[in-house]
Amino acid sequence: MASENQTNDQRQASSGHHRSKAYDDARSGFDRLRMEEKAAFLLESILNTVADGLKDVSAQVSDALRHGCSSSDPDNDAASEEEVHMGEEHEGEAGDEHGEHV
């Protein structure tokens, strides 16, 4: 255990800043894992971090596109909305080959 604390102290000293207690606890727990568990933990952490990053980026891109489209041509947005509503109204009027509504 003394060597484990020493490695945590060395990590803190080399990082140049102090970590939170939660970080230190997680780091200590990681150090106690078997090699296979460490590998699985790292892989899961990487995949979760990438997934979270992709969600953030896609939300930002979506917001930028929405903002860009709405500010570029207000008349075009109104026409597009009108077309969507007209398409929805005509959907219920479609019939099969015998003239019956589907």
Side-chain angles (χ1 to χ4, degrees):
M1 179 126 182
S3 65
E4 186 176 308
N5 288 337
Q6 186 178 26
T7 58
N8 285 336
D9 292 341
Q10 288 172 345
R11 275 190 212 98
Q12 275 188 341
S14 67
S15 70
H17 60 282
H18 297 283
R19 306 279 185 176
S20 68
K21 179 164 175 22
Y23 179 92
D24 289 339
D25 291 345
R27 183 69 219 185
S28 295
F30 179 81
D31 287 340
R32 290 189 299 270
L33 295 175
R34 293 187 324 256
M35 185 61 66
E36 302 84 29
E37 292 174 321
K38 286 180 179 180
F41 181 86
L42 289 173
L43 183 59
E44 290 172 15
S45 297
I46 290 167
L47 293 175
N48 285 333
T49 301
V50 169
D52 290 345
L54 289 174
K55 286 179 192 175
D56 289 348
V57 167
S58 65
Q60 291 174 5
V61 168
S62 176
D63 289 345
L65 289 173
R66 199 173 310 128
H67 178 71
C69 290
S70 66
S71 65
S72 64
D73 187 6
D75 293 334
N76 189 25
D77 289 343
S80 296
E81 287 180 22
E82 186 175 317
E83 289 171 4
V84 168
H85 291 297
M86 289 180 66
E88 290 172 352
E89 290 173 5
H90 294 293
E91 279 181 9
E93 297 173 8
D96 66 6
E97 64 190 22
H98 300 291
E100 298 171 357
H101 288 288
V102 180

